[in-house]
Amino acid sequence: MNRLITLLLLTWAFWMRISAQSYDFHNTKLKDDQRIDLLIRQLTLDEKISLLSTNLGVARLGIPSLSCYEGLHGIVLGGPANKFSYPTTIFPQAYGLGETWDREAVRRVGQQMAEEARYYIQRPQVQRKGLVIYAPNADLARDPRWGRTEESYGEDAYLTGQLSIAMVKGLQGDNPRYWKTAALMKHFLANSNEDGRDSTSSDFDERLFREYYSYPFYKGITEGGSRAFMASYNAWNDTPMCVNPVLDEVARKEWGNNGIICTDGGGLRLLVNAHHAYPTMAEGAAAVIKAKTGMFLDNYKDAVNEALTKGLVTEKDIETAIRGNLFVALKLGLLDDADTKNPYAHIGKDSTATPPYMTKEAQQAAREVTNKSVVLLKNNGILPLDSKKTRKILVVGPYADQMVYDWYSGNPPYEVTILKALREMADREGLDISYIPDNRMGKAEEMAREADAVIVCTGNHPYGTKSEWFFCPVPSDGREAVDRKSLQLPDEDMLRLLYRANPNTVLVLVSSFPYTINWSNDHLPAILHITHCSQEQGHAVADALFGKINPAGRTTQTWVRDILDLPPMMDYDIRHGRTYMYHKGDVLYPFGYGLSYTTFQYGKARILRQDKHTIEVSVPVTNTGNYDGDEVVQLYVTYPDAKVEHPQKQLKAFERIYIKRGETKEVVLRVQRSDLTYWDALQHAFIPEKGHVLFMIGASSSDIRTEVKGN
């Protein structure tokens, strides 16, 4: 081990000596394009081909070898099952981050990940270093059966767009010249079926492309500042995404993504062997490069060399394709000389400083963000539990005493399970906490009869291994490569038995997905929802149960009552009944829904100000209950005078606001006029809707409290 560390230190010193040399592309007074031109002129053909990979380095020119990290809810350096992994701060799954409805919370997550990525590139013992972060996932969870629902912010394009902007800004920082890390969004486009994803086509018209499926990516680029995204496995209208003309025609030329566009892992191979779009790997590689997809997550070099030999692609084509990779490297400061003015270059160099994942600030961030993600789905008054009256508590369920990590989780420096946090509280309050993992031989029922309250912690398992990659043993579970086949909660029968034994049974649903928990909603006195993975999961649940925090998370998907309420899985036309915008029937929990331990009263909404760019709608909100708490004020629009078909309502603004009990706050919701348009395919442009706009403000998509008309 000592020899390995010595070798790594010598290698690092070698890099430092090389980078001390001066090259013309180091000149920061030149324009970015000029610097990239100068660098390309110095590259050999082999170096250009090498830059088609995730490695942004060129050893001969002193550009360090930096790659990519997964980072949906914490930097991944090996993952929890890898003994060579390194600790990083782990937040709730992206689905849970969405349920915060909090831009600043999501931005804070990005900032922490960027700090830790910068820290680790300075550690000589860390062999794989990266500053390009695969985040956020800007895909839309149009169907709760999608196996990667856990990676998304939800079903709504506006909410996902706003949180994607926040994540990008957190990852990249606010320096006008340099990025702290580069945010690479996933997966462009309409990638929300896992079964058959390598060969299927997501089919819908250009209007849905513009208004729904591409909208979060558009916002991530044009407002967030991301200059990188990953092309998805699937096709759109029969053209595979990694060679689809929209990559260049829309994302690059219209939106301005002059950075990275990469394939998904194995995308080149699947282009040939699954989509059968090209007969050979060489032809597939040439098509990818000519589409200006400049980064392969695949074994590609033999295919590219063959394509060059056969004249299918030129060196100039490769130069054009890698320009985006080099632009990202430039923004990260990798094309500067050793005397860099990059404000992020110093992070991690002080070996005596506390690692960023161990700071009080990191731990506080994880706890606060996790607190904000808790959704109170039902409460008949049993919550918050009164520790003076509820003295004997039985905790049941597989996710009370274990943390389960998904495929894109890192390795947290510590973890607090629900049971651990409850026992901490029991020690402070003098409570009696018992635990049993299941109801084997009816033991949990026996114990429940003697308890003041029963807390059941159950949900899904986000399988994190590839041992059986296309299989989840439980039909209602899902993950990458596997869609869910059921929406029913497997442990609901256990809940029925425990409820019969003790009516004070509370469900803590620890899950990455919605469930059709109709019986639980009809009978149990209280239900909390939280996602997996956060190192502070236990504290968030315990604090919510006992009222140390007031839950204010909101659903980001429509929770249907029955799987039969959903259109066919491969129907990508959401107008056929998907999402709160088009679903017609009754639902279990609507989009934007979440309860509180307090109550809020909405006053009369009014138009505060409007100009050609923005409309400001103001509404007074009063906390009329007995607890301080957050309210998520949501603004939806519809068009009473429209001649064109629109959704029944669309989210266009929201604010999460803290209001003390008895206090009234004037909440201002800003609507961009550019979001009050529709895509006209004939004019190939967004067109403002004529007539009035009805602004509907409330506590969820189905709980509208006040309305006001605008022009």
Side-chain angles (χ1 to χ4, degrees), residues 22 36 121 142 254 321 356 604 645 709:
S22 180
I36 293 170
I121 71 166
R142 66 184 175 97
E254 290 187 27
K604 183 175 178 58
E645 180 187 3
K709 278 188 177 182

Side-chain angles (χ1 to χ4, degrees), residues 17 68 128 210 248 254 258 315 338 451 495:
R17 286 197 301 274
C68 309
R128 181 172 174 265
R210 296 283 186 164
D248 187 39
E254 290 187 27
N258 61 334
E315 185 172 354
L495 284 162

Side-chain angles (χ1 to χ4, degrees), residues 366-411:
R367 187 159 184 171
E368 289 179 0
V369 172
T370 312
N371 288 349
K372 289 187 172 188
S373 75
V374 179
V375 184
L376 181 60
L377 294 174
K378 184 184 177 183
N379 187 25
N380 70 354
I382 189 175
L383 296 182
L385 297 173
D386 186 342
S387 61
K388 294 179 181 178
K389 298 178 181 178
T390 309
R391 307 294 297 170
K392 190 171 184 180
I393 299 171
L394 172 65
V395 182
V396 185
Y399 301 131
D401 196 29
Q402 66 169 319
M403 297 289 293
V404 182
Y405 298 99
D406 62 26
W407 183 244
Y408 293 115
S409 276
N411 181 35

Side-chain angles (χ1 to χ4, degrees), residues 568-587:
M569 184 65 177
M570 289 307 299
D571 184 355
Y572 270 81
D573 188 340
I574 62 170
R575 290 167 292 212
H576 294 160
R578 289 195 193 282
T579 79
Y580 74 95
M581 295 187 293
Y582 293 102
H583 186 83
K584 296 294 186 183
D586 189 22
V587 300

Side-chain angles (χ1 to χ4, degrees), residues 33 41 57 123 131 222-223 251 273 293 298 302 304 320 341 429 482 500 560 578 581 618 627 673 680 690 703:
D33 282 343
R41 288 174 197 164
R123 303 289 92 189
L131 285 180
T222 59
E223 292 188 27
N273 298 333
T293 303
D298 211 333
D302 289 345
V304 170
T320 300
K341 293 180 174 57
E429 305 285 345
V482 184
R500 184 178 65 180
V560 298
R578 289 195 193 282
M581 295 187 293
S618 176
Y627 294 85
R673 285 199 181 272
D680 188 298
K690 296 179 181 179
D703 185 8

Side-chain angles (χ1 to χ4, degrees), residues 13-14 26-27 102 125 170 188 235 263 317 353 357 372 376 424 426 576 614 616 641 678 704:
F14 171 72
H26 286 158
N27 187 351
D102 192 312
Q125 67 270 31
F188 190 85
T263 72
D317 292 330
Y357 51 84
K372 289 187 172 188
L376 181 60
E424 289 175 2
H576 294 160
T614 308
E616 291 186 351
D641 308 322
Y678 66 92
I704 302 302

Side-chain angles (χ1 to χ4, degrees), residues 536-552:
E536 285 285 350
Q537 181 189 81
H539 283 145
V541 170
D543 288 348
L545 288 170
F546 281 90
K548 307 298 182 184
I549 63 168
N550 188 349

Side-chain angles (χ1 to χ4, degrees), residues 345-363:
H346 70 283
I347 297 172
K349 288 187 175 180
D350 182 359
S351 60
T352 65
T354 303
Y357 51 84
M358 288 302 295
T359 63
K360 291 181 180 179
E361 291 78 10
Q363 296 172 16

